[in-house]
Amino acid sequence: LSLARGEYVDAIDKLYPMATLYWGDIAYIAERVLTTDELKTFVDAKVAPSNAKVDFNDPYAQLPSAMLLRNLLARRLMREGRYNEAMEYFGNPKIRSKAQSYATAMHDADAAWGRVDRAQALFAAALLARSSGIDILGSEAAPDFQNLGGMFPGGLGQELPEGAFLVKV
């Protein structure tokens, strides 16, 4: 009902307590409906960093809902170039380190004096985006499917892609 009324922050506020059951809906609202600043304000006010012990080396470890939403916000901030703001929201220290390296490379590209220095910094950022982009920049559902580690089919309620260059099977 809150979504239908255009009360988007209220909608995510009502869904968040049941995040494990409605994660797809929460992710959709967080990625596609709320502005980044609305999401950041909500997370800062209602989603405390998780103190749960998580084995980040286990690819099948279930992350707490708070960490999932904070990570989603971190990746969204990274995509917008708001690198400094994003760092505090990454739950995994290894991913935070990769995000910091990416941010440093992008900063170096902006601060470069010459074209060669800029190209080297952008190449370093591209390598990081290629190897860790799903974790530091990827959207939760379509088009990146971070929730599935980049495995495209069958994500969180997305529609089948259509367009001039896509073949229907």
Side-chain angles (χ1 to χ4, degrees):
L1 188 57
S2 294
L3 278 175
R5 290 180 178 167
E7 299 165 354
Y8 306 125
V9 176
D10 186 52
I12 198 169
D13 188 35
K14 287 181 171 128
L15 281 172
Y16 181 71
M18 299 166 282
T20 55
L21 185 59
Y22 295 111
W23 179 247
D25 297 318
I26 290 170
Y28 180 84
I29 294 168
E31 287 273 19
R32 306 277 183 179
V33 179
L34 296 178
T35 67
T36 304
D37 289 327
E38 288 173 332
L39 178 60
K40 187 175 183 297
T41 300
F42 174 78
V43 168
D44 289 343
K46 306 270 180 140
V47 184
S50 176
N51 294 329
K53 294 288 183 187
V54 177
D55 181 6
F56 292 115
N57 294 319
D58 179 4
Y60 302 106
Q62 181 63 39
L63 298 178
S65 301
M67 193 175 292
L68 288 173
L69 191 56
R70 292 177 70 83
N71 286 341
L72 184 152
L73 173 59
R75 292 189 310 270
R76 191 161 173 193
L77 289 167
M78 289 289 291
R79 289 193 303 269
E80 291 186 9
R82 296 165 64 176
Y83 309 122
N84 292 337
E85 294 175 71
M87 295 307 144
E88 72 179 275
Y89 297 101
F90 282 109
N92 184 335
K94 289 181 183 177
I95 293 175
R96 185 182 309 115
S97 175
K98 291 176 184 180
Q100 185 61 57
S101 296
Y102 179 84
T104 300
M106 293 301 289
H107 177 269
D108 291 349
D110 288 341
W113 283 63
R115 291 182 296 174
V116 173
D117 292 336
R118 180 169 166 74
Q120 287 174 334
L122 288 173
F123 185 72
L127 289 176
L128 287 163
R130 174 67 178 102
S131 65
S132 302
I134 197 77
D135 294 323
I136 64 174
L137 299 165
S139 60
E140 188 72 6
D144 300 324
F145 300 94
Q146 195 282 334
N147 66 310
L148 298 173
M151 305 294 183
F152 300 127
L156 297 173
Q158 69 284 350
E159 299 172 14
L160 292 175
E162 295 181 14
F165 299 106
L166 297 173
V167 177
K168 289 185 180 184
V169 179

